[in-house]
């Protein structure tokens, strides 16, 4: 995370559908680079970054930016947003194709 000229406006959180908010950050200094590492549970799938003023962290008042990694895989990066921006941290689970039940042909013609 690199904050813009108004770092105190920046906060973020990671949420899980089962536990709600699992970790968060805020209270940042302006124009400062932060690296934070957190252990999160496997269903903590949503990262949300917020700017309380509503102008994001780039580009109106400084050149802020953020990048999010999970297990050394980049999940998202940005900075030019309004109030909030959301990144999905979990990969979509593969789904099986639908199973079609065969239709029995009539034995006697209509």
């Amino acid at each position: 995370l690199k904050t813009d000229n108004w770092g105190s406006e920046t906060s973020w959180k990671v949420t899980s559908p089962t536990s709600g908010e699992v970790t968060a950050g805020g209270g940042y200094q302006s124009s400062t680079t932060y690296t934070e590492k957190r252990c999160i549970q496997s269903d903590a799938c949503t990262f949300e970054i917020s700017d309380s003023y509503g102008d994001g962290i780039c580009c109106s008042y400084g050149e802020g930016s953020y990048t999010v990694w999970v297990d050394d895989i980049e999940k998202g990066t940005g900075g030019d947003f309004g109030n909030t921006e959301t990144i999905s941290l979990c990969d979509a689970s593969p789904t099986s194709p639908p199973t079609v039940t065969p239709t029995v042909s009539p034995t006697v013609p209509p």
Side-chain angles (χ1 to χ4, degrees):
L1 170 67
K2 180 181 177 193
T3 58
D4 64 2
N5 297 346
W6 297 93
S8 62
E9 298 173 354
T10 305
S11 62
W12 60 267
K13 64 183 176 181
V14 175
T15 57
S16 148
T18 58
S19 303
E21 185 177 298
V22 296
T23 191
Y28 296 108
Q29 297 294 314
S30 299
S31 304
T32 303
T33 300
Y34 295 88
T35 300
E36 299 190 39
K37 293 183 179 186
R38 308 285 174 98
C39 292
I40 57 174
Q41 61 203 54
S42 62
D43 74 336
C45 291
T46 305
F47 170 85
E48 181 180 281
I49 188 165
S50 300
D51 180 88
S52 62
Y53 189 75
D55 62 349
I57 57 175
C58 180
C59 299
S60 299
Y61 298 100
E63 296 296 318
S65 63
Y66 71 91
T67 304
V68 179
W69 289 273
V70 174
D71 295 330
D72 297 322
I73 298 170
E74 185 178 310
K75 294 295 185 171
T77 189
D80 190 7
F81 59 92
N83 291 315
T84 62
E85 188 163 74
T86 302
I87 302 289
S88 176
L89 303 179
C90 297
D91 295 327
S93 298
T95 56
S96 301
T99 306
V100 179
T101 306
T103 306
V104 178
S105 299
T107 55
V108 179

